[in-house]
Amino acid sequence: MGFQQKQHGNSGFEVAHEAGAARTGTLQVGDTGIKTPNLFPVVNFYAGGTSSSLYGGGIHRTMKEFMNGDEVINGGDYSEYFDGVMTSVASLTDYGITKERYEEYIDTPIKERDLFDFDGVLFVDSGGFKFLGDKTLDGSDFEVDVDQRAIIDIQRKLGADLVLNLDRPIEPDDDYETRVRKAHMTAQNVDQFLELTDRQRQTRYLTLHGYNYSMLNTFLTEIEKVIGKNRVHREFDGVALGSLVPLKDNKDKLITAVSDCREVLDDWGFDELPLHVLGISSSAIPLLAAVGADTFDSSSYLHAAINGKYHTSLYNTEPLDDVDFSDCDCPVCSDGKLVNWMEGDAEYQKDKLGAVSMHNLIIQKKEISRVREAINKSGTGGLVEYFEQSLSRHKSMQRHAHRVVNDSLGGYF
Amino acid sequence: MSTTKTPQVNEVNEFLEIASDFEDPLEVIRESLSNSYDAGATEVEITIRDRPIGSEIVIEDNGEGMDYTDLESFFDLGNSTKRDPSSDAIGYKGHGTKIFYKSEEILVNTSKEGTNLRARMEQPWEKLNNRVMPEYEIKERSVKKGNNGTHIRITGFKSGRGFSPSSLTYNKIEHYLKWKTLAGSTAHYFTDDYHEMDVYITLGDEIDDTQETLKLDNKLEFPEEQIEPGEGKFPESRMCKHYPPRELTVETDDGDTATIKVVGMIGGKDARNELPTYGKHSVQFGIWLAKDYIKVERVNEVISHDNEFLHFFFVANCQDIELSANREKIRNKSSSIYQAIKEELSHYLSKIASDPWFKDYLNQRRKAKLSRRAKSQQSSVEDREKQIHDREQFMPSNDAEVVLGLERSNRNGTLPKIVVEDYNPDVEVNALVRQNGSLYASSIHHKLTDHFAADKPLEAVDKIICWSYGDRDELSELERHGYHGGDITFDLNTGRIEYQNGRKHNIHIVSVEQRF
């Protein structure tokens, strides 16, 4: 193979402070230590990410310019917001690319490409979520049958630090038999995943699917049946809870899923493992961190920007045209050129919205760092106070904030 | 030429207006308690007697007494010596004591620092009504220092209709004082240095002779906590949890700030009954806004709709609310500070409503209700068993049992065999039955008359299957008046209905009872 794999001998997860079910810690992946709870922004490396797509790629390209600190975005250093990023195998299958183009793209690991100045943790998911709702993960354009082996090949060639097995997400309407069947299919992939990957080289996360304790327990039971008790317990560095995107607007169900997941993990003896929540971000982050989620991934910063929404906080957005940029002291809003872009004085729409995306991401990253600080205060008081000042002041979020304070942080009275 | 004019006040009318706002003799007590408290009294004695010329009310306290200035402000309108709203004095408008004008005579005997003043005003109400401003005479004499205090006697107080002293009882007074006056103050929850005051009430024997005197303190106290459910049919009814005093700070966009001091409890019916309520629970419980720690108006809208306010009893005191002259209403409801107070309370109450204990309490209530329902079902099963034992033969009591009866008659070998092939109680033609190999559209009812009572058409029906015919007179009335505009005749001997509405239609009646 024409590339070197990074050694991951020093990976691990260490808990620093606990506040109820919430915890802070360090997720060590290779040389990089990521403070948790934390957020992996979803970055599309393919779009505008090859030399032949220099002028394409839209907003994704601008995001990578921020990641690199390129001159075109005025040379600012934004690397702290890219300490870990997630990219999806599906970002390839979304584009109808040819075999040549595909092979060219995965030819060199992302971190070794001249085009990117990125040295954070690269989390590459398996694209399993594309199976949701009868969709398929279709590699026919580039003549690849998408199975666990192919996914691992792509993950490895992209130089992933942190990888997920190929999974079969469940849907809210699935009956018991369907969920068990999907768990069984996922288990077979997991079996292959463990054979084909090397824990010394990559941090391995096991995907879990279920909306409550019983579903997750059934899921793990199926996995254990196929791969054996020992391997379930010894071979993973973390777990990733999936299938939650269809519930993204129902915070009650999200909280139940994550807190039940932590309970299942405790009962199965996995309490030491970091818990990643796939595909859920924004205002759910503090709530889910409070019930024990350690990391998140998010593309909502991008989607908000594409829809012309500028985040004034984790839970509030303003239409771009109404924004007074002087109210924000983030590096994007403090840069005259970027403010001009956001005000509409940009040659390309991607630059205007790219700058807004970067601002949105900074808001999300700063908020999660406030959550970390709140957990780090002794006892649960810091986090309770955090909710008191934030989510519990929002009518629509109040109920959920009260719930996590009562369920996980010892309550108000 | 320019002229400057000062608007004039009709003083007599103003006195009349303000005094007229007060009707209930209990309001006299409320105002007196506030005055005694503001004078630093630690004891107040109030005596009420019912006299032919009206009620006599005597108020005596050991406060600091009044000097000339204090006495002036006692009789003047809008001239309180307690003008500073930020002091903890309750009366500062100079309205309260004007309630005394609704009487035959006001006598004030007060001693302050070695000087005794006796003031007397005769016929104040009659004079005001004759548009004459009543005058008062003051006599001064020296007394020994240290005997401070005030004695007020109101003779012939004019209660409003329905507020006569004869309707008073010790129980009513106690509940009123604890609910509506500073005797029910929540201030003691917020300070270690509380000004305590004992209140003694004596009613003339002609009003209530059940006890000599009623003694009260000036503290509202909640019923004892009971966190766990009790026994019996209503285990939640004595549950009670206190929510400790909290100070909430609010700020408006304009930068105005206010402090809310809130304390309260949640409790079941029995726990709430231990409080000195003054009226029905539905008008007493919920969230009260208070000033001077005396409840004024409820703001139950700060509890979200799915948390019934009845279980809550919270008193939220805020000195930044402004009151009407008779203290019954909040005046500054359109101010931003009032809105901010409500928002902050709403936020605080949302936390209380989310308290797992409250959820458990509601759950206990629900479980008890279900178990009561299960018990009543159990007893109804027993009743039904008894009915089965008592009756001599199968006797349906509803349509579905008629279907069972029909099947049972088939099993017994009754002919013709009529088999229910399809039964849907929700549609008009509720059954399809098979007889001699043919299907018949049928209407199955407990009684034949039920078909007509349900106003069902006849055209689409081949058979009406019933246990019995029901009231035959009802059937006769149908024959007399017709049905749905057509002529109808019942031949119960042959089991036929003949119906003519444009077209002639015969319907077969099956009486299941007769098949046994």
Side-chain angles (χ1 to χ4, degrees), chain B residues 375-397:
Chain B
K375 279 209 182 88
S376 88
Q377 300 231 342
Q378 177 59 35
S379 74
S380 102
V381 167
E382 285 161 9
D383 290 347
R384 282 152 65 192
E385 279 173 358
K386 187 169 181 301
Q387 277 171 17
I388 291 170
H389 283 299
D390 291 351
R391 77 185 182 200
E392 286 171 5
Q393 64 154 37
F394 172 77
M395 182 78 72
S397 58

mmCIF file of all heavy atoms in Angstrom, chain B residues 375-397:
data_model
loop_
_atom_site.group_PDB
_atom_site.id
_atom_site.type_symbol
_atom_site.label_atom_id
_atom_site.label_comp_id
_atom_site.label_asym_id
_atom_site.label_seq_id
_atom_site.Cartn_x
_atom_site.Cartn_y
_atom_site.Cartn_z
ATOM 1 N N LYS B 375 -62.028 -1.484 42.303
ATOM 2 C CA LYS B 375 -62.854 -1.987 43.404
ATOM 3 C C LYS B 375 -64.329 -1.916 43.032
ATOM 4 O O LYS B 375 -65.089 -2.842 43.279
ATOM 5 C CB LYS B 375 -62.606 -1.162 44.668
ATOM 6 C CG LYS B 375 -61.354 -1.598 45.388
ATOM 7 C CD LYS B 375 -61.487 -1.335 46.883
ATOM 8 C CE LYS B 375 -60.206 -1.724 47.595
ATOM 9 N NZ LYS B 375 -59.229 -0.639 47.634
ATOM 10 N N SER B 376 -64.724 -0.801 42.385
ATOM 11 C CA SER B 376 -66.139 -0.664 42.073
ATOM 12 C C SER B 376 -66.511 -1.676 40.985
ATOM 13 O O SER B 376 -67.609 -2.196 40.954
ATOM 14 C CB SER B 376 -66.479 0.767 41.694
ATOM 15 O OG SER B 376 -66.303 0.974 40.326
ATOM 16 N N GLN B 377 -65.543 -1.986 40.089
ATOM 17 C CA GLN B 377 -65.811 -3.009 39.078
ATOM 18 C C GLN B 377 -65.973 -4.366 39.745
ATOM 19 O O GLN B 377 -66.829 -5.154 39.371
ATOM 20 C CB GLN B 377 -64.654 -3.070 38.081
ATOM 21 C CG GLN B 377 -64.450 -1.762 37.361
ATOM 22 C CD GLN B 377 -64.386 -1.951 35.868
ATOM 23 O OE1 GLN B 377 -64.160 -3.050 35.404
ATOM 24 N NE2 GLN B 377 -64.591 -0.892 35.123
ATOM 25 N N GLN B 378 -65.114 -4.619 40.738
ATOM 26 C CA GLN B 378 -65.180 -5.884 41.451
ATOM 27 C C GLN B 378 -66.566 -6.036 42.082
ATOM 28 O O GLN B 378 -67.202 -7.074 41.967
ATOM 29 C CB GLN B 378 -64.080 -5.933 42.523
ATOM 30 C CG GLN B 378 -64.086 -7.175 43.388
ATOM 31 C CD GLN B 378 -63.911 -8.444 42.549
ATOM 32 O OE1 GLN B 378 -63.196 -8.449 41.561
ATOM 33 N NE2 GLN B 378 -64.606 -9.496 42.931
ATOM 34 N N SER B 379 -67.030 -4.919 42.701
ATOM 35 C CA SER B 379 -68.323 -5.028 43.361
ATOM 36 C C SER B 379 -69.413 -5.206 42.314
ATOM 37 O O SER B 379 -70.395 -5.904 42.544
ATOM 38 C CB SER B 379 -68.579 -3.828 44.256
ATOM 39 O OG SER B 379 -68.874 -2.713 43.466
ATOM 40 N N SER B 380 -69.221 -4.608 41.115
ATOM 41 C CA SER B 380 -70.256 -4.780 40.112
ATOM 42 C C SER B 380 -70.240 -6.215 39.582
ATOM 43 O O SER B 380 -71.283 -6.762 39.240
ATOM 44 C CB SER B 380 -70.125 -3.735 39.008
ATOM 45 O OG SER B 380 -69.531 -4.258 37.863
ATOM 46 N N VAL B 381 -69.066 -6.854 39.551
ATOM 47 C CA VAL B 381 -69.013 -8.266 39.152
ATOM 48 C C VAL B 381 -69.804 -9.094 40.172
ATOM 49 O O VAL B 381 -70.595 -9.977 39.809
ATOM 50 C CB VAL B 381 -67.548 -8.761 39.060
ATOM 51 C CG1 VAL B 381 -67.500 -10.284 38.956
ATOM 52 C CG2 VAL B 381 -66.850 -8.132 37.862
ATOM 53 N N GLU B 382 -69.600 -8.758 41.440
ATOM 54 C CA GLU B 382 -70.318 -9.512 42.482
ATOM 55 C C GLU B 382 -71.838 -9.344 42.343
ATOM 56 O O GLU B 382 -72.588 -10.307 42.456
ATOM 57 C CB GLU B 382 -69.845 -9.073 43.867
ATOM 58 C CG GLU B 382 -68.472 -9.647 44.198
ATOM 59 C CD GLU B 382 -67.773 -8.899 45.325
ATOM 60 O OE1 GLU B 382 -68.419 -8.048 45.964
ATOM 61 O OE2 GLU B 382 -66.573 -9.168 45.541
ATOM 62 N N ASP B 383 -72.251 -8.088 42.064
ATOM 63 C CA ASP B 383 -73.683 -7.844 41.872
ATOM 64 C C ASP B 383 -74.239 -8.683 40.728
ATOM 65 O O ASP B 383 -75.335 -9.237 40.818
ATOM 66 C CB ASP B 383 -73.933 -6.361 41.544
ATOM 67 C CG ASP B 383 -73.685 -5.485 42.751
ATOM 68 O OD1 ASP B 383 -73.573 -6.046 43.861
ATOM 69 O OD2 ASP B 383 -73.593 -4.249 42.572
ATOM 70 N N ARG B 384 -73.435 -8.732 39.655
ATOM 71 C CA ARG B 384 -73.909 -9.450 38.472
ATOM 72 C C ARG B 384 -73.994 -10.949 38.746
ATOM 73 O O ARG B 384 -74.907 -11.627 38.288
ATOM 74 C CB ARG B 384 -73.016 -9.143 37.276
ATOM 75 C CG ARG B 384 -73.339 -7.767 36.680
ATOM 76 C CD ARG B 384 -72.165 -7.118 35.999
ATOM 77 N NE ARG B 384 -71.717 -7.860 34.829
ATOM 78 C CZ ARG B 384 -70.570 -7.602 34.214
ATOM 79 N NH1 ARG B 384 -69.773 -6.657 34.671
ATOM 80 N NH2 ARG B 384 -70.235 -8.292 33.162
ATOM 81 N N GLU B 385 -73.003 -11.440 39.508
ATOM 82 C CA GLU B 385 -73.049 -12.863 39.869
ATOM 83 C C GLU B 385 -74.331 -13.169 40.635
ATOM 84 O O GLU B 385 -74.989 -14.178 40.403
ATOM 85 C CB GLU B 385 -71.840 -13.232 40.734
ATOM 86 C CG GLU B 385 -70.582 -13.473 39.916
ATOM 87 C CD GLU B 385 -69.354 -13.670 40.796
ATOM 88 O OE1 GLU B 385 -69.490 -13.583 42.036
ATOM 89 O OE2 GLU B 385 -68.287 -13.899 40.242
ATOM 90 N N LYS B 386 -74.682 -12.236 41.520
ATOM 91 C CA LYS B 386 -75.881 -12.439 42.328
ATOM 92 C C LYS B 386 -77.125 -12.478 41.431
ATOM 93 O O LYS B 386 -77.987 -13.347 41.578
ATOM 94 C CB LYS B 386 -75.999 -11.301 43.349
ATOM 95 C CG LYS B 386 -77.119 -11.496 44.343
ATOM 96 C CD LYS B 386 -77.001 -10.485 45.476
ATOM 97 C CE LYS B 386 -78.119 -10.680 46.494
ATOM 98 N NZ LYS B 386 -79.454 -10.548 45.926
ATOM 99 N N GLN B 387 -77.154 -11.561 40.464
ATOM 100 C CA GLN B 387 -78.296 -11.519 39.545
ATOM 101 C C GLN B 387 -78.451 -12.840 38.794
ATOM 102 O O GLN B 387 -79.556 -13.341 38.599
ATOM 103 C CB GLN B 387 -78.125 -10.387 38.531
ATOM 104 C CG GLN B 387 -78.565 -9.045 39.078
ATOM 105 C CD GLN B 387 -78.174 -7.902 38.142
ATOM 106 O OE1 GLN B 387 -77.868 -8.137 36.974
ATOM 107 N NE2 GLN B 387 -78.166 -6.696 38.663
ATOM 108 N N ILE B 388 -77.278 -13.414 38.386
ATOM 109 C CA ILE B 388 -77.340 -14.690 37.650
ATOM 110 C C ILE B 388 -77.932 -15.774 38.554
ATOM 111 O O ILE B 388 -78.768 -16.564 38.124
ATOM 112 C CB ILE B 388 -75.939 -15.088 37.148
ATOM 113 C CG1 ILE B 388 -75.498 -14.106 36.049
ATOM 114 C CG2 ILE B 388 -75.928 -16.527 36.618
ATOM 115 C CD1 ILE B 388 -74.060 -14.232 35.644
ATOM 116 N N HIS B 389 -77.465 -15.780 39.811
ATOM 117 C CA HIS B 389 -77.987 -16.787 40.743
ATOM 118 C C HIS B 389 -79.487 -16.620 40.947
ATOM 119 O O HIS B 389 -80.226 -17.588 41.059
ATOM 120 C CB HIS B 389 -77.273 -16.678 42.101
ATOM 121 C CG HIS B 389 -75.904 -17.279 42.052
ATOM 122 N ND1 HIS B 389 -75.699 -18.614 41.765
ATOM 123 C CD2 HIS B 389 -74.677 -16.740 42.234
ATOM 124 C CE1 HIS B 389 -74.403 -18.867 41.768
ATOM 125 N NE2 HIS B 389 -73.751 -17.742 42.047
ATOM 126 N N ASP B 390 -79.939 -15.364 40.999
ATOM 127 C CA ASP B 390 -81.324 -15.095 41.350
ATOM 128 C C ASP B 390 -82.304 -15.366 40.210
ATOM 129 O O ASP B 390 -83.464 -15.677 40.443
ATOM 130 C CB ASP B 390 -81.481 -13.634 41.810
ATOM 131 C CG ASP B 390 -80.795 -13.418 43.147
ATOM 132 O OD1 ASP B 390 -80.371 -14.425 43.745
ATOM 133 O OD2 ASP B 390 -80.673 -12.250 43.574
ATOM 134 N N ARG B 391 -81.844 -15.209 38.969
ATOM 135 C CA ARG B 391 -82.808 -15.309 37.867
ATOM 136 C C ARG B 391 -83.069 -16.780 37.521
ATOM 137 O O ARG B 391 -82.238 -17.645 37.785
ATOM 138 C CB ARG B 391 -82.291 -14.538 36.648
ATOM 139 C CG ARG B 391 -81.206 -15.264 35.889
ATOM 140 C CD ARG B 391 -80.667 -14.403 34.780
ATOM 141 N NE ARG B 391 -79.647 -15.156 34.044
ATOM 142 C CZ ARG B 391 -78.737 -14.591 33.280
ATOM 143 N NH1 ARG B 391 -78.682 -13.283 33.151
ATOM 144 N NH2 ARG B 391 -77.862 -15.340 32.642
ATOM 145 N N GLU B 392 -84.222 -17.010 36.885
ATOM 146 C CA GLU B 392 -84.581 -18.398 36.594
ATOM 147 C C GLU B 392 -84.085 -18.842 35.241
ATOM 148 O O GLU B 392 -83.837 -20.020 34.994
ATOM 149 C CB GLU B 392 -86.105 -18.560 36.681
ATOM 150 C CG GLU B 392 -86.572 -18.555 38.127
ATOM 151 C CD GLU B 392 -88.073 -18.491 38.239
ATOM 152 O OE1 GLU B 392 -88.744 -18.549 37.189
ATOM 153 O OE2 GLU B 392 -88.555 -18.370 39.373
ATOM 154 N N GLN B 393 -83.988 -17.921 34.328
ATOM 155 C CA GLN B 393 -83.483 -18.302 32.999
ATOM 156 C C GLN B 393 -82.629 -17.167 32.440
ATOM 157 O O GLN B 393 -82.623 -16.053 32.976
ATOM 158 C CB GLN B 393 -84.650 -18.585 32.059
ATOM 159 C CG GLN B 393 -85.526 -17.368 31.791
ATOM 160 C CD GLN B 393 -86.248 -17.463 30.458
ATOM 161 O OE1 GLN B 393 -86.666 -18.535 30.061
ATOM 162 N NE2 GLN B 393 -86.382 -16.361 29.768
ATOM 163 N N PHE B 394 -81.939 -17.474 31.355
ATOM 164 C CA PHE B 394 -81.094 -16.481 30.689
ATOM 165 C C PHE B 394 -81.925 -15.251 30.346
ATOM 166 O O PHE B 394 -83.032 -15.367 29.827
ATOM 167 C CB PHE B 394 -80.493 -17.111 29.429
ATOM 168 C CG PHE B 394 -79.757 -16.135 28.564
ATOM 169 C CD1 PHE B 394 -78.485 -15.698 28.913
ATOM 170 C CD2 PHE B 394 -80.339 -15.657 27.385
ATOM 171 C CE1 PHE B 394 -77.814 -14.798 28.108
ATOM 172 C CE2 PHE B 394 -79.660 -14.749 26.587
ATOM 173 C CZ PHE B 394 -78.402 -14.328 26.951
ATOM 174 N N MET B 395 -81.364 -14.067 30.642
ATOM 175 C CA MET B 395 -82.104 -12.827 30.435
ATOM 176 C C MET B 395 -81.116 -11.755 29.959
ATOM 177 O O MET B 395 -80.320 -11.280 30.759
ATOM 178 C CB MET B 395 -82.725 -12.407 31.776
ATOM 179 C CG MET B 395 -83.564 -11.166 31.725
ATOM 180 S SD MET B 395 -85.173 -11.511 31.037
ATOM 181 C CE MET B 395 -85.894 -12.436 32.391
ATOM 182 N N PRO B 396 -81.148 -11.452 28.659
ATOM 183 C CA PRO B 396 -80.152 -10.472 28.180
ATOM 184 C C PRO B 396 -80.461 -9.069 28.695
ATOM 185 O O PRO B 396 -81.627 -8.761 28.957
ATOM 186 C CB PRO B 396 -80.288 -10.536 26.663
ATOM 187 C CG PRO B 396 -81.680 -10.986 26.429
ATOM 188 C CD PRO B 396 -82.064 -11.874 27.579
ATOM 189 N N SER B 397 -79.408 -8.277 28.847
ATOM 190 C CA SER B 397 -79.646 -6.893 29.244
ATOM 191 C C SER B 397 -79.119 -5.918 28.208
ATOM 192 O O SER B 397 -79.143 -4.721 28.415
ATOM 193 C CB SER B 397 -78.999 -6.626 30.607
ATOM 194 O OG SER B 397 -77.629 -6.907 30.521
#
